[in-house]
Amino acid sequence: EQRAEAERQIRAEESVKPSSGVAGYDYTFSVPKSVSALWGVADAGTQALIVGAHHEAVAEVLDFMEREVVSTRRGVAAGNGAVMQADVIGVAATAYDHWDSRLGDPQLHTHVVISNKVKTTEDGRWRSLDGTAMYEANVPISEHYNAVLADRLTRLFGIEWEQRERGAERNAAWELAPVPETLIREFSSRSSHIDKEKDRLIAEYVDLTGRRPSSAKIIQLRAKATLATRPEKEIHSLLDLTTQWRERAQKILGRGAVDWAKEATAPSRARPTLRADDVPLDAITEVGVSVVGAVEEKRSTWKHWNLWAEASRETMGWRFASADDREAVVGMIVEAAKQESLTITPPDLVTVPEVFRRADGTSRFRPRHGVVFTSETLLAAEDRLLARAEDMTAPELDLDVIEGVTRKEHLLSAEQSETLAGIAVSGRQVDLLVGPAGAGKTTAMHALKTAWVKAHGKGSV
């Protein structure tokens, strides 16, 4: 009765409060599909061992987050709110285990809901989490979890991992080597539904625009497809689910699923795991260079967490003796990558008093891991673009050609016609056409192409 009354009172109080701010952050730690498939059909003892490894990996990653990611802010500047990052004691979180996907396939995952309220170490006051760091570290946390879990399962069963392609539009995935792709596909109904809807949305986009969407747009379409195909959740007991999964797996494997899982997890001679000091420094430097090369293919600038995510991907094939060893090696690779990068964040112009510094000497008035980097390669590319934009020797078009096309063949607005006219006579080797979505950029470019071909001949574009 006391609990029911307390809940009633809390609901009454919360219902009259304005809805503002963030209550918490939901992190979903989901094992790779091959692990879910193996866990789903294994005997109860093996299932418990895999779940235990998953829980321990989640705990190790949360510990990493508390040390490297989580902070709050204190101190007030005029109009700017809290401006100085402060350390916290830790996070308060609760975890919910889920066994299956919305379509009833095995999908071992845990939702970890982290409270937005944290206690500051300096004065013991409760403050809100600094959300920026939580978002920036989202992908690296995911990559770190995948790697820590892989290490644990290899140490537990001696099981090997391999990288498998997932098509041009998705990153390659690391899966357990003994788990066949046919079994993964059998237990990927949700992904299959999402992919079908995504393909339909892509085809619709091509019909509408006349071109294939960019990689960023495809990610948006996949997110839209995920929501559009999301069925209601149905609750089933793990016993019922496991029974169904074993029956489905037996048809794919051609044998008893439990016996297959026992063989796959039977202790074997796995290659020895690495300690941090087993990795030579020249290998650290080499991977650091590779990390920068991969990051600069996708970004013009990057920060610490972008490098960490890529370093985790590039070391996913290495098996470590502990999470601490992995963390140490990835940290060294990130530092090597920073040495290969160019720092473009300006230095502090004043000496920061000791009371306002972190243990590593950095200023608390700057976000931790907030330094921005780029590379010589990218700056050289920018120089080439700027030089071409300033080169006024490029071919031009007569305005009467543009006017003829925009009035007779492509009906454009006055603003579109004026913009094209500016490009046609600029003489620059590189020009930019900038506008918001739906402003008619693609339509305008079609008109420019038509005019260009009229003046310079077929195949000149």
Side-chain angles (χ1 to χ4, degrees):
E1 292 82 0
Q2 288 176 328
R3 180 186 179 90
E5 173 58 25
E7 288 180 353
R8 187 199 63 75
Q9 185 176 344
I10 289 170
R11 288 197 183 94
E13 290 173 355
E14 292 298 319
S15 65
V16 298
K17 290 181 181 178
S19 179
S20 63
V22 175
Y25 298 85
D26 179 10
Y27 284 84
T28 304
F29 295 92
S30 186
V31 305
K33 200 65 190 183
S34 58
V35 179
S36 281
L38 178 63
W39 163 81
V41 302
D43 62 83
T46 303
Q47 281 187 327
L49 289 173
I50 293 174
V51 171
H54 163 63
H55 285 166
E56 287 162 351
V58 170
E60 286 169 331
V61 173
L62 285 175
D63 175 62
F64 170 74
M65 287 176 65
E66 287 185 317
R67 287 182 283 107
E68 295 292 328
V69 180
V70 177
S71 65
T72 186
R73 287 182 294 182
R74 56 181 296 203
V76 178
N80 291 324
V83 294
M84 186 180 76
Q85 277 198 333
D87 295 331
V88 300
I89 292 173
V91 297
T94 186
Y96 301 88
D97 285 333
H98 289 198
W99 306 132
D100 58 337
S101 72
R102 287 174 180 262
L103 290 177
D105 292 327
Q107 187 186 346
L108 171 59
H109 61 289
T110 299
H111 292 275
V112 178
V113 185
I114 298 176
S115 170
N116 191 35
K117 294 303 176 186
V118 287
K119 184 180 278 191
T120 315
T121 56
E122 291 94 333
D123 57 11
R125 287 184 59 186
W126 289 89
R127 293 181 168 88
S128 297
L129 272 174
D130 186 351
T132 303
M134 303 289 281
Y135 287 113
E136 287 185 347
N138 194 21
V139 172
I141 287 168
S142 174
E143 299 289 352
H144 189 53
Y145 160 77
N146 288 339
V148 169
L149 177 68
D151 291 342
R152 279 200 162 275
L153 290 176
T154 294
R155 295 198 300 268
L156 185 62
F157 297 116
I159 201 164
E160 290 289 351
W161 295 76
E162 62 186 21
Q163 197 171 25
R164 298 180 187 175
E165 295 299 324
R166 290 284 180 262
E169 293 161 1
R170 297 173 67 184
N171 292 329
W174 284 86
E175 302 288 0
L176 292 173
V179 181
E181 200 64 24
T182 50
L183 188 61
I184 291 176
R185 284 198 296 270
E186 168 66 22
F187 288 146
S188 301
S189 306
R190 181 83 176 104
S191 294
S192 177
H193 282 209
I194 292 170
D195 285 337
K196 286 178 182 176
E197 176 64 11
K198 177 207 68 179
D199 291 342
R200 188 191 69 78
L201 292 173
I202 290 174
E204 191 177 84
Y205 183 93
V206 172
D207 290 342
L208 188 65
T209 64
R211 59 186 173 83
R212 187 167 175 77
S214 65
S215 298
K217 184 64 179 177
I218 288 174
I219 291 173
Q220 292 176 5
L221 294 177
R222 184 175 174 82
K224 185 178 178 180
T226 300
L227 291 176
T229 59
R230 197 177 196 189
E232 291 295 320
K233 288 184 177 179
E234 294 184 16
I235 306 301
H236 302 281
S237 72
L238 183 56
L239 174 63
D240 290 343
L241 289 169
T242 301
T243 303
Q244 295 170 19
W245 295 335
R246 288 171 181 165
E247 290 172 355
R248 289 167 60 187
Q250 185 167 340
K251 295 176 184 176
I252 300 296
L253 299 169
R255 55 180 297 198
V258 175
D259 291 338
W260 168 82
K262 281 182 180 178
E263 284 186 18
T265 56
S268 61
R269 281 190 180 180
R271 53 199 164 103
T273 52
L274 297 168
R275 292 287 182 185
D277 53 7
D278 291 333
V279 183
L281 291 179
D282 56 347
I284 297 288
T285 303
E286 184 179 337
V287 178
V289 173
S290 177
V291 164
V292 173
V295 171
E296 70 182 1
E297 285 287 321
K298 305 171 188 174
R299 301 174 174 274
S300 57
T301 62
W302 49 86
K303 295 183 180 180
H304 171 91
W305 290 120
N306 304 122
L307 296 172
W308 187 283
E310 185 58 35
S312 291
R313 292 185 197 105
E314 299 210 11
T315 55
M316 183 61 184
W318 302 3
R319 298 278 71 84
F320 285 92
S322 70
D324 289 340
D325 290 303
R326 174 171 288 280
E327 189 180 323
V329 170
V330 171
M332 286 190 289
I333 291 171
V334 169
E335 289 306 311
K338 289 178 181 178
Q339 295 299 316
E340 287 292 318
S341 305
L342 288 177
T343 303
I344 57 176
T345 297
D348 288 317
L349 299 179
V350 295
T351 301
V352 180
E354 189 70 27
V355 68
F356 298 133
R357 292 186 191 179
R358 300 183 184 89
D360 61 4
T362 56
S363 170
R364 291 188 180 277
F365 291 105
R366 292 194 169 188
R368 189 179 186 191
H369 301 317
V371 175
V372 180
F373 301 94
T374 189
S375 69
E376 293 277 8
T377 303
L378 286 169
L379 291 182
E382 288 184 7
D383 286 342
R384 291 195 299 274
L385 285 171
L386 289 170
R388 291 188 178 190
E390 294 168 358
D391 186 335
M392 310 296 285
T393 63
E396 300 179 14
L397 288 176
D398 291 333
L399 286 178
D400 58 350
V401 178
I402 285 286
E403 289 175 4
V405 168
T406 57
R407 287 178 182 175
K408 296 177 183 178
E409 300 183 46
H410 297 267
L411 298 179
L412 302 182
S413 67
E415 186 180 14
Q416 288 172 315
S417 300
E418 185 181 336
T419 301
L420 290 193
I423 294 173
V425 301
S426 75
R428 284 187 289 269
Q429 285 199 359
V430 172
D431 250 313
L432 294 181
L433 176 59
V434 182
K441 298 185 296 294
T442 304
T443 303
M445 292 305 292
H446 279 307
L448 181 60
K449 178 185 176 183
T450 301
W452 192 275
V453 171
K454 281 183 178 293
H456 298 288
K458 190 175 181 181
S460 59
V461 177

Short mmCIF file of all heavy atoms in Angstrom, two decimals, residues 419-439:
data_model
loop_
_atom_site.label_atom_id
_atom_site.label_comp_id
_atom_site.label_asym_id
_atom_site.label_seq_id
_atom_site.Cartn_x
_atom_site.Cartn_y
_atom_site.Cartn_z
N THR A 419 20.97 32.91 -61.02
CA THR A 419 22.09 32.12 -60.46
C THR A 419 22.86 31.43 -61.58
O THR A 419 24.10 31.45 -61.60
CB THR A 419 21.55 31.06 -59.48
OG1 THR A 419 20.85 31.73 -58.42
CG2 THR A 419 22.69 30.25 -58.88
N LEU A 420 22.14 30.81 -62.52
CA LEU A 420 22.81 30.13 -63.63
C LEU A 420 23.60 31.11 -64.50
O LEU A 420 24.68 30.79 -64.99
CB LEU A 420 21.79 29.37 -64.49
CG LEU A 420 21.14 28.14 -63.85
CD1 LEU A 420 20.42 27.33 -64.92
CD2 LEU A 420 22.17 27.26 -63.16
N ALA A 421 23.04 32.28 -64.69
CA ALA A 421 23.75 33.29 -65.48
C ALA A 421 25.07 33.66 -64.83
O ALA A 421 26.10 33.82 -65.50
CB ALA A 421 22.87 34.53 -65.65
N GLY A 422 25.06 33.76 -63.48
CA GLY A 422 26.31 34.08 -62.76
C GLY A 422 27.35 33.00 -62.93
O GLY A 422 28.55 33.27 -63.10
N ILE A 423 26.91 31.74 -62.92
CA ILE A 423 27.85 30.62 -63.12
C ILE A 423 28.36 30.59 -64.56
O ILE A 423 29.55 30.38 -64.81
CB ILE A 423 27.16 29.28 -62.77
CG1 ILE A 423 26.84 29.21 -61.27
CG2 ILE A 423 28.04 28.09 -63.16
CD1 ILE A 423 26.02 28.00 -60.87
N ALA A 424 27.46 30.85 -65.50
CA ALA A 424 27.81 30.73 -66.92
C ALA A 424 28.92 31.68 -67.35
O ALA A 424 29.75 31.36 -68.20
CB ALA A 424 26.57 30.97 -67.77
N VAL A 425 28.96 32.86 -66.75
CA VAL A 425 29.94 33.86 -67.20
C VAL A 425 31.05 34.09 -66.18
O VAL A 425 31.86 35.00 -66.36
CB VAL A 425 29.23 35.21 -67.50
CG1 VAL A 425 28.18 35.05 -68.58
CG2 VAL A 425 28.61 35.81 -66.23
N SER A 426 31.11 33.27 -65.13
CA SER A 426 32.10 33.54 -64.07
C SER A 426 33.53 33.29 -64.52
O SER A 426 34.46 33.94 -64.07
CB SER A 426 31.80 32.67 -62.84
OG SER A 426 32.18 31.33 -63.07
N GLY A 427 33.73 32.29 -65.40
CA GLY A 427 35.08 31.94 -65.82
C GLY A 427 35.86 31.15 -64.79
O GLY A 427 37.03 30.81 -65.02
N ARG A 428 35.25 30.86 -63.64
CA ARG A 428 35.96 30.08 -62.62
C ARG A 428 35.97 28.59 -62.99
O ARG A 428 34.98 28.09 -63.53
CB ARG A 428 35.29 30.26 -61.26
CG ARG A 428 35.59 31.58 -60.58
CD ARG A 428 35.04 31.59 -59.16
NE ARG A 428 33.58 31.68 -59.15
CZ ARG A 428 32.90 32.83 -59.11
NH1 ARG A 428 33.55 33.98 -59.10
NH2 ARG A 428 31.59 32.82 -59.11
N GLN A 429 37.05 27.92 -62.66
CA GLN A 429 37.10 26.47 -62.91
C GLN A 429 36.21 25.72 -61.94
O GLN A 429 35.73 24.63 -62.24
CB GLN A 429 38.54 25.97 -62.78
CG GLN A 429 39.41 26.33 -63.97
CD GLN A 429 40.66 25.45 -64.03
OE1 GLN A 429 40.86 24.59 -63.19
NE2 GLN A 429 41.47 25.68 -65.04
N VAL A 430 35.99 26.27 -60.74
CA VAL A 430 35.10 25.65 -59.77
C VAL A 430 34.08 26.69 -59.31
O VAL A 430 34.45 27.79 -58.91
CB VAL A 430 35.89 25.13 -58.53
CG1 VAL A 430 34.92 24.66 -57.45
CG2 VAL A 430 36.80 23.99 -58.92
N ASP A 431 32.80 26.35 -59.41
CA ASP A 431 31.74 27.21 -58.90
C ASP A 431 30.86 26.42 -57.96
O ASP A 431 30.76 25.19 -58.07
CB ASP A 431 30.87 27.73 -60.07
CG ASP A 431 31.08 29.21 -60.31
OD1 ASP A 431 31.07 29.96 -59.31
OD2 ASP A 431 31.26 29.62 -61.47
N LEU A 432 30.21 27.10 -57.04
CA LEU A 432 29.31 26.45 -56.10
C LEU A 432 27.89 26.93 -56.30
O LEU A 432 27.64 28.13 -56.47
CB LEU A 432 29.71 26.77 -54.65
CG LEU A 432 31.06 26.23 -54.16
CD1 LEU A 432 31.27 26.62 -52.71
CD2 LEU A 432 31.14 24.73 -54.33
N LEU A 433 26.95 25.98 -56.28
CA LEU A 433 25.53 26.29 -56.28
C LEU A 433 24.98 25.81 -54.95
O LEU A 433 24.93 24.60 -54.69
CB LEU A 433 24.82 25.59 -57.45
CG LEU A 433 23.29 25.75 -57.51
CD1 LEU A 433 22.90 27.22 -57.62
CD2 LEU A 433 22.72 24.98 -58.68
N VAL A 434 24.61 26.74 -54.07
CA VAL A 434 24.22 26.41 -52.70
C VAL A 434 22.77 26.79 -52.48
O VAL A 434 22.34 27.88 -52.87
CB VAL A 434 25.11 27.15 -51.69
CG1 VAL A 434 24.73 26.76 -50.26
CG2 VAL A 434 26.58 26.85 -51.94
N GLY A 435 22.00 25.88 -51.88
CA GLY A 435 20.60 26.18 -51.57
C GLY A 435 20.01 25.10 -50.71
O GLY A 435 20.51 23.98 -50.67
N PRO A 436 18.94 25.42 -50.00
CA PRO A 436 18.31 24.42 -49.12
C PRO A 436 17.60 23.32 -49.92
O PRO A 436 17.42 23.45 -51.14
CB PRO A 436 17.30 25.25 -48.32
CG PRO A 436 16.97 26.40 -49.22
CD PRO A 436 18.23 26.71 -49.97
N ALA A 437 17.21 22.26 -49.24
CA ALA A 437 16.49 21.17 -49.89
C ALA A 437 15.20 21.69 -50.51
O ALA A 437 14.48 22.48 -49.89
CB ALA A 437 16.19 20.06 -48.87
N GLY A 438 14.93 21.27 -51.74
CA GLY A 438 13.70 21.68 -52.41
C GLY A 438 13.78 23.01 -53.12
O GLY A 438 12.78 23.50 -53.66
N ALA A 439 14.96 23.63 -53.13
CA ALA A 439 15.08 24.95 -53.77
C ALA A 439 15.19 24.86 -55.29
O ALA A 439 15.12 25.87 -55.98
CB ALA A 439 16.31 25.68 -53.20
#
